[in-house]
Amino acid sequence: ILNLLNTRYIVSQDALDIPWIQKVGDADNLHIYKNTLALPWFYLAPKFEIISDEDEILERLRDPNTQPQNIALLEVDPGIAADPAADDSGRVQQLAYDARQGYLKLQTSAPGPRILVISQNYHPHWRASVDGVPQTLIRANYLWTALALSAGEHTVELRYHDPIVATTRWISLAGTGILIAGLLVFARKPDEVMADAG
């Protein structure tokens, strides 16, 4: 679970005996460890398994023999064939990221079909496209966002669009415009009154 959650450092009051973590220091009676198996923010999994039961997915993720970087646990069929003989997961390069606008652009390359896993919560307001063509996002490893990719190089874009947020932005913008227009009219009226009086 720590690997899946991208937990790179662990701070503990007690000494830990976990094979894949390395002690990197001590501070204020605390032990500091580095998790060498923490998964990156996004990666290509060469294999997948379809499990529709959420409790079963959680049990599999608790099993130390489960390696999410090699096999993605999906709730639905991704529409591609698994590559059981894959020994190279491929490459992912981040091209652009804008947290405020909800935008992520990646370049991927793989010799066979892959599941692109992005370590961010799956949410229905995210939209994805692969090489400009809309693509359905799926949930992987219980909570992360994923999508299926065919072999080769691809440009993947994810955009967050919440219609309620978009509507409230337009209402706020319109309200601000009306307020500014009202202030301008109000600021000119005293000058017009004085001109009429003169």
Side-chain angles (χ1 to χ4, degrees):
I1 297 294
L2 291 174
N3 300 340
L4 184 68
L5 296 176
N6 320 109
T7 307
R8 297 196 181 280
Y9 290 92
I10 302 165
V11 178
S12 174
Q13 290 180 336
D14 301 318
L16 300 177
D17 184 21
I18 302 174
W20 62 86
I21 64 172
Q22 299 172 349
K23 188 166 186 178
V24 293
D26 294 293
D28 299 325
N29 296 323
L30 296 173
H31 304 278
I32 304 168
Y33 298 89
K34 182 176 182 179
N35 181 6
T36 59
L37 297 181
L39 292 174
W41 182 23
F42 33 77
Y43 59 93
L44 294 168
K47 303 172 189 171
F48 64 85
E49 186 176 336
I50 301 168
I51 304 174
S52 57
D53 182 60
E54 292 183 351
D55 292 334
E56 188 178 342
I57 292 172
L58 285 175
E59 281 303 312
R60 286 288 302 280
L61 292 172
R62 287 189 192 105
D63 183 348
N65 296 318
T66 300
Q67 298 179 334
Q69 69 273 23
N70 294 326
I71 183 164
L73 304 180
L74 309 176
E75 296 178 16
V76 297
D77 187 341
I80 61 170
D83 190 357
D87 56 0
D88 175 17
S89 62
R91 291 185 343 265
V92 184
Q93 179 186 3
Q94 178 181 316
L95 300 180
Y97 175 60
D98 187 336
R100 291 188 59 153
Q101 294 297 319
Y103 178 73
L104 175 63
K105 185 176 184 180
L106 305 171
Q107 184 76 35
T108 68
S109 176
R114 298 290 185 267
I115 300 296
L116 172 63
V117 180
I118 302 166
S119 301
Q120 70 180 11
N121 288 335
Y122 174 83
H123 196 280
H125 292 315
W126 280 101
R127 300 286 181 262
S129 66
V130 177
D131 302 324
V133 178
Q135 178 89 7
T136 302
L137 288 169
I138 51 182
R139 192 161 71 157
N141 301 334
Y142 188 77
L143 72 164
W144 292 153
T145 300
L147 56 106
L149 297 175
S150 60
E153 294 192 2
H154 300 287
T155 301
V156 178
E157 293 181 274
L158 275 80
R159 296 177 191 276
Y160 186 84
H161 177 72
D162 184 343
I164 294 173
V165 171
T167 302
T168 55
R169 281 183 184 163
W170 279 109
I171 291 171
S172 297
L173 184 61
T176 302
I178 291 169
L179 178 63
I180 291 171
L183 289 173
L184 290 173
V185 169
F186 180 76
R188 288 187 181 175
K189 284 225 178 205
D191 292 340
E192 292 174 5
V193 170
M194 299 225 7
D196 289 343

